[in-house]
Each structure stands twice: as structure tokens, then as C-alpha cells.
Amino acid sequence: MRVGDALPPLEIEITRTLIVAGAIASRDYQDVHHDADLAREKGSPDIFMNILTTNGLVGRYVTDHFGPDAVLRKVAVRLGAPNHPGDTMVLTGSVEEVDGGTVTVRILGANGIGRHVMGTVTLTVPATEAAPGPASAAAPAPPAVSAEGGVA
């Protein structure tokens, strides 16, 4: 991985179930996340996703790319346009900094209204295996074994 490397985009369908389940899972019982009538009374066209669900989706996006051994160290995001049911959010990212095993990724999540989320995620990734090279540069070859099973 190198500075400037792009992560492949991830499209996430914003369903009513995703919004409500995310709010319940994060114990966010604000009515704007599950009651469309009350959300409308408060000026929103419908229910909308909470920040904790967005944080979880951002974390998933990054760890899906870097693998299950990646460890999130810092997630710093700002919300913009709300995610409403029926929309699609597209997450994109690019490597902003690499310092040994620590990587910082700039994230953007956009929907039909505009930018839903933007920010950075800092994570540690396991050391990658050395690039393949000549056999002499690799680990020593195991001892040869004769046809009779003894070491030659």
C-alpha cells in the first residue's frame, strides 16, 4: 500500500431496516431514527441514519479492504447530508499516510443529496510478507530427503 492508493468503492443500500437496526443496536432511541411521522414533525422528510451506524459502516469499509487482522485506532468523521431510506451511500477512500504498520485513510461517503460522511480512519495492519525474490533471498531451503526417507 502506498500514499494515494484508492480503495474500491462500496455501495450500501440505505433501507429502513438498516437505519432502525443500527439505532437499536447502538441504543440510540431518538424518534428521528425509527418514527417517520415524528421525524417529519421535526422537519425531516423521513427517518435518518445515526452517526454510530455510519461509524460502523466506515469501519467495515476499511477493515473489509485491509483484512480481519487490521485494528482500527482512530475514526474521525463529520456528518453532512442525512442518509434516508431508499437512497444509496457510496463509500470511497484513499491512503493518505503510511508510517510502518500504521495507515491513515481519507474516507468520503456520498448519497443522492450530497456528502453524508467525510473524515479519516487510522489503523494498524499486520506486517506484510516480504516480496518474492530469488530463492537465495528467501528462507533457507529444507534439507533434501532421500528416497529411503533419510536426510541426504
Side-chain angles (χ1 to χ4, degrees):
M1 84 202 91
R2 295 181 188 146
V3 171
D5 284 354
L7 281 64
L10 174 64
E11 290 188 10
I12 299 171
E13 297 298 319
I14 308 301
T15 65
R16 192 167 300 281
T17 301
L18 173 63
I19 293 169
V20 173
I24 290 169
S26 61
R27 296 180 168 196
D28 183 348
Y29 303 116
Q30 292 288 324
D31 51 22
V32 295
H33 303 309
H34 64 84
D35 188 316
D37 291 334
L38 290 175
R40 285 186 197 99
E41 282 180 24
K42 293 180 178 180
S44 179
D46 204 339
I47 63 171
F48 55 90
M49 184 177 286
N50 71 357
I51 191 169
L52 297 172
T53 304
T54 298
N55 276 350
L57 293 171
V58 165
R60 169 195 160 196
Y61 174 58
V62 173
T63 57
D64 278 359
H65 179 75
F66 287 97
D69 293 330
V71 177
L72 298 177
R73 298 296 179 184
K74 181 179 179 183
V75 177
V77 297
R78 295 180 73 112
L79 291 183
N83 271 336
H84 293 290
D87 209 341
T88 300
M89 177 175 63
V90 179
L91 288 169
T92 57
S94 62
V95 175
E96 186 172 80
E97 185 178 343
V98 178
D99 183 10
T102 302
V103 179
T104 301
V105 179
R106 177 144 311 274
I107 301 293
L108 175 64
N111 59 32
I113 302 170
R115 290 183 178 170
H116 170 68
V117 63
M118 55 187 173
T120 58
V121 177
T122 303
L123 64 151
T124 53
V125 294
T128 57
E129 294 185 27
S136 61
V145 178
S146 69
E148 292 80 32
V151 177

